[in-house]
Amino acid sequence: MTRADVIEPTAGRTVSWGDGLLLAALIALLFAVWLEPAGSWLAEPDEARYAEVPREMLEARDFITPRLNGAPYFEKPPLLYWANAASFALLGQGSWSARLPTRLSGTGTALLLAFAVGRLRGRREGLLSAIFLLAAPFGFTAARMNLTDGVLTFFFAATLFAALATLRRAEAGRPTAGLAAATGALAAAGFLSKGLIAVVLPGGILLLWTLATKSLRRLGALLLSPAAPVFLAVAAPWFVLAERAHPGFLRFFFVHEHFQRFATPAASRPGPIFYFVGLFLIGFLPGLPFFFRGAREALRRDPLSLFLLLWLAVVLVFFSVSRSKLPPYIFPALPAAAALAARGIETGRGPALWRAHAALAAALVVACAAVPAVGETIAGQGLGRLALSGAASLLAGALLALSAPRRPALAAAAAGLGWAGFYAVLALAWPRIPLSTEVHELAATAREAASSSSARVVSYRTYLQGFPWQLSAVVPVADFKGELEDWWLPEERRREIFWGRERFWAEWSSGRPLVAVARVKDREDFKDARPPARFLRCREKYCVLANF
């Protein structure tokens, strides 16, 4: 590594009015992240799933085997489940406590970015990075919703920044054992959040960056250090215990859940090669003009910009070639994009970038207004005033930013406050959005009907994650398995949870009270049912019905 390639930390400066404005914008964005009005139910399916598994952990007092609807569920490692179980134990079972660990992770990612980039490039650029992260639609989502990807994003970023600090200390000839050990522990926590990608992708980023900067030998500060032993000490015990409890788990987790998902269409989550490029353009919308400007720094042999660009590129390319694609997979790339966008503001002052930002904000408002489903929800749920307030906040922030293009702190603070207002409106609207309310209302209807008649609740030819969560009980599933993993169960327990269609209809006609949840498109199955089906509540996709 040449002297020009060494990343030097930037000395701190006294706090200026501009930094104060940026801090205010960051606090406003964090307020929107944490804002949760009454009735903010968990979204189906992911949020409810990642709440139900820890609920069952607590109920069974078994923190080795994750269970979903009574069946072992080994698709993800347990860190989020453990965190949510701790949250439930301390605060009780609810939507707020289910989202607490991911909100802490999202807040932690923003503060980590502010600190790490601030150390390397100055306080202002650190604050700008955190603002761009939380102003991005995907960044806000990662910081707010109960998803494993938000927790992964924090540990992914922390691992890379700790590794970078280790390499810098090695370059300066200073001791590295402590930082290397911290890197190993952070990588292990990421591994326990989402699996191998928390190790493989940061490793690939570091390898490519040291090759590009001709400093490959510096990797010895990590490879020949306490990093690997600490990683194994933190990550291995759960895997050993899970394999002991369920022989064959390791093969399932690593072969099926990693290699087969990546290389084959087994997960049924297809997408074109440009899938994540398109998602990035949408999910990082506020920072796009500044990101492209900042990315140019990498081409000018700026080592930190190159590091960030490789970080983003490795995540995008890896998941683009994968045969399994879901939007949250891109979340770990967002901190790098945010830091590059912050560099773009600092190196590309002028009105052009802010004009582009204002145009993108206006385009988002127009696009939302043009989507029929959005208009129907706004009209049907009486959200007109809230929608206008959100649009006004976003556009006002963009226009104020456009009026001060050569005062980047003022412009960025105005834009950040505009996006914060927009997201606060979304948080206030959430309790009236069908994604939040539909399954909750159906489960409440089923619970009321079952408690008044001592009926059993059964899911017919479908499975809604929110039902066992809302009912605090396993819900038998008739003629359906989906992602539920029945092969880990003993035969007797399997028959209790997984019913065939014949058993469902035998139970229906037995005279014992039964409450069922079914898809609207399966209503015809109940046309000639005996006793006749009584439809208690129907929403767009699902109905709750009873045989009494």
Side-chain angles (χ1 to χ4, degrees):
M1 182 182 289
T2 66
R3 183 174 179 80
D5 288 327
V6 177
I7 301 174
E8 296 290 352
T10 302
R13 299 174 299 183
T14 57
V15 178
S16 67
W17 64 268
D19 294 342
L21 288 174
L22 291 174
L23 182 60
L26 178 58
I27 291 171
L29 285 162
L30 287 170
F31 173 79
V33 166
W34 285 87
L35 178 61
E36 181 152 325
S40 297
W41 313 118
L42 299 178
E44 182 76 23
D46 293 326
E47 282 202 299
R49 179 195 305 115
Y50 297 131
E52 173 58 15
V53 173
R55 185 199 70 79
E56 294 190 36
M57 274 188 163
L58 281 174
E59 184 176 74
R61 294 294 173 189
D62 181 356
F63 299 96
I64 301 301
T65 304
R67 289 180 176 84
L68 180 63
N69 201 41
Y73 183 76
F74 286 121
E75 290 198 7
K76 301 292 186 296
L79 187 60
L80 179 60
Y81 307 147
W82 290 341
N84 279 351
S87 182
F88 296 160
L90 290 172
L91 303 172
Q93 179 182 323
S95 301
W96 194 89
S97 53
R99 293 184 176 120
L100 177 61
T102 48
R103 280 189 170 130
L104 290 172
S105 296
T107 301
T109 306
L111 297 180
L112 170 68
L113 201 56
F115 173 78
V117 176
R119 286 276 297 169
L120 294 167
R121 283 189 163 156
R123 183 185 298 113
R124 178 166 299 183
E125 203 158 329
L127 290 170
L128 286 168
S129 300
I131 288 170
F132 275 123
L133 176 71
L134 294 180
F138 279 6
F140 178 76
T141 300
R144 181 177 176 82
M145 298 190 73
N146 182 31
L147 301 171
T148 56
D149 304 272
V151 179
L152 169 67
T153 299
F154 171 76
F155 287 112
F156 196 101
T159 299
L160 282 168
F161 280 125
L164 182 61
T166 303
L167 298 184
R168 280 184 43 231
R169 287 178 69 90
E171 179 68 23
R174 299 167 63 191
T176 61
L179 268 175
T183 302
L186 290 166
F191 185 50
L192 289 170
S193 301
K194 199 71 188 271
L196 281 173
I197 59 170
V199 181
V200 173
L201 297 192
I205 292 162
L206 291 166
L207 175 61
L208 291 173
W209 184 70
T210 53
L211 285 171
T213 56
K214 300 179 181 179
S215 58
L216 184 61
R217 61 188 178 87
R218 295 298 178 191
L219 276 182
L222 288 170
L223 297 177
L224 304 175
S225 77
V230 169
F231 174 88
L232 290 174
V234 174
W238 177 75
F239 287 90
V240 173
L241 293 172
E243 174 66 21
R244 184 178 298 172
H246 301 275
F249 154 72
L250 289 176
R251 185 182 187 282
F252 171 81
F253 183 81
F254 288 105
V255 176
H256 181 272
E257 289 301 308
H258 283 78
F259 301 117
Q260 288 184 358
R261 278 180 181 266
F262 179 83
T264 74
S268 299
R269 295 167 180 169
I273 192 70
F274 52 83
Y275 179 87
F276 286 107
V277 174
L279 282 177
F280 174 73
L281 296 177
I282 297 169
F284 196 67
L285 192 72
L288 282 180
F290 314 98
F291 162 76
F292 288 117
R293 178 66 182 81
R296 290 171 56 185
E297 292 293 299
L299 304 177
R300 297 178 179 177
R301 299 290 295 172
D302 173 58
L304 180 56
S305 294
L306 178 61
F307 178 78
L308 296 168
L309 189 60
L310 287 170
W311 176 345
L312 173 74
V314 166
V315 175
L316 282 179
V317 171
F318 179 86
F319 287 113
S320 293
V321 300
S322 170
R323 302 292 295 275
S324 178
K325 295 179 172 68
L326 283 176
Y329 292 176
I330 200 177
F331 288 0
L334 297 177
L340 285 168
R343 171 94 313 210
I345 284 187
E346 292 293 276
T347 61
R349 303 183 184 191
L353 296 178
W354 290 108
R355 280 198 294 265
H357 170 265
L360 289 172
L364 176 63
V365 172
V366 172
C368 289
V371 176
V374 174
E376 291 169 5
T377 299
I378 291 173
Q381 303 299 323
L383 297 172
R385 290 184 179 179
L386 270 179
L388 288 174
S389 298
S393 174
L394 186 58
L395 294 175
L399 290 174
L400 284 173
L402 186 56
S403 69
R406 299 193 183 281
R407 302 171 74 180
L410 177 59
L417 289 169
W419 284 94
F422 178 73
Y423 291 136
V425 164
L426 290 181
L428 292 171
W430 181 255
R432 289 188 272 173
I433 292 175
L435 185 62
S436 168
T437 61
E438 180 176 14
V439 173
H440 173 80
E441 292 174 358
L442 291 171
T445 298
R447 181 175 58 243
E448 182 180 354
S451 62
S452 65
S453 60
S454 299
R456 192 168 194 179
V457 178
V458 180
S459 188
Y460 177 74
R461 302 194 71 188
T462 189
Y463 172 70
L464 296 177
Q465 308 282 353
F467 263 63
W469 162 250
Q470 293 285 344
L471 301 175
S472 295
V474 170
V475 176
V477 181
D479 195 26
F480 187 84
K481 290 183 181 176
E483 66 177 343
L484 297 174
E485 298 164 0
D486 66 327
W487 55 85
W488 301 102
L489 292 168
E491 184 61 32
E492 182 178 351
R493 183 62 172 157
R494 186 184 298 120
R495 287 197 300 268
E496 291 177 8
I497 300 174
F498 296 95
W499 294 7
R501 187 181 296 201
E502 296 78 8
R503 178 177 177 183
F504 174 84
W505 288 112
E507 293 282 348
W508 183 274
S509 59
S510 68
R512 291 186 291 271
L514 203 67
V515 175
V517 56
R519 298 173 298 181
V520 168
K521 66 181 182 180
D522 288 327
R523 289 182 62 156
E524 285 295 313
D525 290 8
F526 294 86
K527 183 178 179 181
D528 299 318
R530 291 293 181 269
R534 183 164 65 95
F535 286 83
L536 305 178
R537 182 187 287 250
C538 286
R539 295 294 298 268
E540 182 180 352
K541 295 181 180 179
Y542 302 98
C543 289
V544 172
L545 54 155
N547 66 349
F548 54 88

